[in-house]
Amino acid sequence: MSVLIYAENADGKFKKSTFEAVSYARAIADQGNTSLTAISIGNVGADELNTLAKYGADKILNVSNAQLKNFVNQAYASVIAEAAKKEGADVVVLSNSFSGRGLAPRIGVKLDAGVIDGAVALPEQNGGKFTVKKTAFSGKAFATVELSSANKVIALTPNSYKIVEVAKAPKIEDFSVDVKESDLKTILKDIVRSTDKVSLPDAEIVVSGGRGLKGPENWAMLEELASLLGAATACSKPVSDAGWRPHSEHVGQTGIAVSPNLYIAVGISGAIQHLAGISSSKVIVAINKDAEAPIFKVADYGIVGDAFEVVPKLITAIKEY
Ligand code: FAD
């Protein structure tokens, strides 16, 4: 047995969720007393590869093929599966990011592997059984799933495993691949970011607003709170439906599922469809003027009060801190 981790980057920089996935993959390799290889695809610089080297890989494969500069689902899946075969890896780990969710089933098909997406804990390996805890039903529940296949693909939920630095000096090798034309049917040419703000799925802190904020003009205070905390902003579905906030911020069953260390819900009632997207959050703080609001049933800390009084006080307190 050995383990392969796909080290995802964004614009040539490894993401925090990548370092979590490498640490997680290292722990799986240690469970089996085996080696860990990381594979990076897409023209990542030497400094970044050296940063990746801190998190426990025994070897790093670097793919810098010009055709793979931008993410291409099918082609990346082929390269990762090829690397897994070459390294004899029977466990492939990736981050349960937008690209990871696209890659995992494709790699699974290529390796005839069982696939777990949304993993939140290390696998348990007892008596030949390999089970993994994962989120289920859009985050409303947790499931434990047994993988009986020889090969396994696991996509790790961001913010669910701690980053651990390991003193190793992995070899960094170029991994050359022949990209098949059939894998390049859809080519991403360019991405223009609409915002420089913290990305919602990766955010450690999320400040989220609901209909209790009355209108888009009142979001300035949430933006300020988020900026002070280094947080991403989010919202409930009616808020994005009304056009107060972009749909990319809509959290819940029909939106994005987040798993930050801290989720601050302001003027959000806590409908089951909203909770579906936030239940993996480590700590939930609710600010709502209705003491009976369902959000308080899931909140770790609750403030019963008017958001227009509480949030400015919070901002002042953080500034003074
Ligand atoms: P409301 O329910 O109107 O709650 C507003 C809250 O603000 C209230 O609790 C109120 O007490 C509080 N409030 C008011 N004024 C203040 C103030 N001044 N200070 C503090 N608090 C105040 N919703 C989602 O969010 N995400 C989803 O993915 C989603 N998917 C859905 C899918 C389906 C199929 C369906 C049917 C619904 C879905 N919904 C989803 C909608 C969901 O059912 C709720 O309607 C929605 O989450 C409510 O949004 P809200 O909490 O912002 O608004």
Side-chain angles (χ1 to χ4, degrees):
M1 171 188 161
S2 82
V3 181
L4 179 77
I5 150 81
Y6 164 53
E8 179 180 337
N9 73 79
D11 297 334
K13 297 247 177 251
F14 292 115
K15 303 165 95 177
K16 175 179 154 283
S17 53
T18 297
F19 300 136
E20 292 166 0
V22 181
S23 300
Y24 177 82
R26 176 72 261 165
I28 296 177
D30 288 345
Q31 283 180 336
N33 205 11
T34 187
S35 61
L36 172 66
T37 301
I39 179 165
S40 162
I41 311 176
N43 299 349
V44 172
D47 285 354
E48 276 298 299
L49 291 170
N50 286 332
T51 304
L52 179 66
K54 291 183 200 160
Y55 300 101
D58 296 294
K59 183 177 16 171
I60 296 175
L61 302 177
N62 181 36
V63 180
S64 55
N65 188 313
Q67 287 172 296
L68 301 175
K69 181 168 178 285
N70 290 329
F71 178 72
V72 191
N73 231 325
Q74 194 61 33
Y76 273 43
S78 293
V79 171
I80 296 165
E82 193 182 321
K85 285 179 189 160
K86 180 179 165 276
E87 295 297 308
D90 46 11
V91 178
V92 176
V93 173
L94 17 71
S95 181
N96 198 54
S97 60
F98 180 76
S99 354
R101 282 195 299 278
L103 287 170
R106 288 176 168 85
I107 299 169
V109 168
K110 290 173 192 296
L111 297 179
D112 194 20
V115 176
I116 298 271
D117 63 351
V120 293
L122 278 175
E124 294 205 2
Q125 303 188 52
N126 290 322
K129 294 198 168 163
F130 188 103
T131 55
V132 184
K133 185 178 174 190
K134 57 160 279 174
T135 57
F137 301 118
S138 312
K140 284 203 276 296
F142 292 105
T144 300
V145 180
E146 183 184 338
L147 288 180
S148 58
S149 54
N151 292 331
K152 298 153 184 87
V153 177
I154 306 175
L156 176 72
T157 300
N159 283 327
S160 57
Y161 197 81
K162 62 184 180 312
I163 296 173
V164 184
E165 289 199 21
V166 181
K168 276 188 187 280
K171 281 185 292 179
I172 301 177
E173 294 177 4
D174 284 332
F175 185 63
S176 64
V177 287
D178 290 324
V179 182
K180 285 183 267 161
E181 279 304 312
S182 56
D183 279 349
L184 293 172
K185 289 188 182 127
T186 310
I187 298 172
L188 176 65
K189 286 295 195 191
D190 192 19
I191 290 188
V192 179
R193 286 183 186 277
S194 54
T195 169
D196 289 334
K197 287 192 290 187
V198 182
S199 128
L200 185 52
D202 291 327
E204 287 190 51
I205 305 177
V206 174
V207 174
S208 189
R211 212 152 35 183
L213 285 173
K214 317 287 185 225
E217 65 282 3
N218 294 324
W219 243 263
M221 64 179 184
L222 289 205
E223 296 270 11
E224 187 176 2
L225 179 59
S227 141
L228 283 169
L229 295 172
T233 47
C235 66
S236 64
K237 183 173 184 292
V239 164
S240 60
D241 285 349
W244 298 358
R245 299 296 293 178
H247 277 290
S248 55
E249 291 194 358
H250 154 200
V251 162
Q253 182 180 326
T254 47
I256 293 175
V258 295
S259 49
N261 293 332
L262 174 61
Y263 186 85
I264 304 178
V266 185
I268 292 178
S269 58
I272 183 115
Q273 296 89 354
H274 188 82
L275 300 183
I278 67 167
S279 59
S280 312
S281 306
K282 305 265 185 327
V283 174
I284 297 176
V285 173
I287 302 170
N288 196 303
K289 68 178 186 185
D290 175 9
E292 300 299 319
I295 189 81
F296 287 123
K297 293 204 174 80
V298 298
D300 299 279
Y301 300 93
I303 302 173
V304 179
D306 187 331
F308 299 99
E309 290 171 17
V310 176
V311 174
K313 279 186 188 164
L314 206 50
I315 289 171
T316 308
I318 292 169
K319 281 181 178 167
E320 283 170 0
Y321 183 70

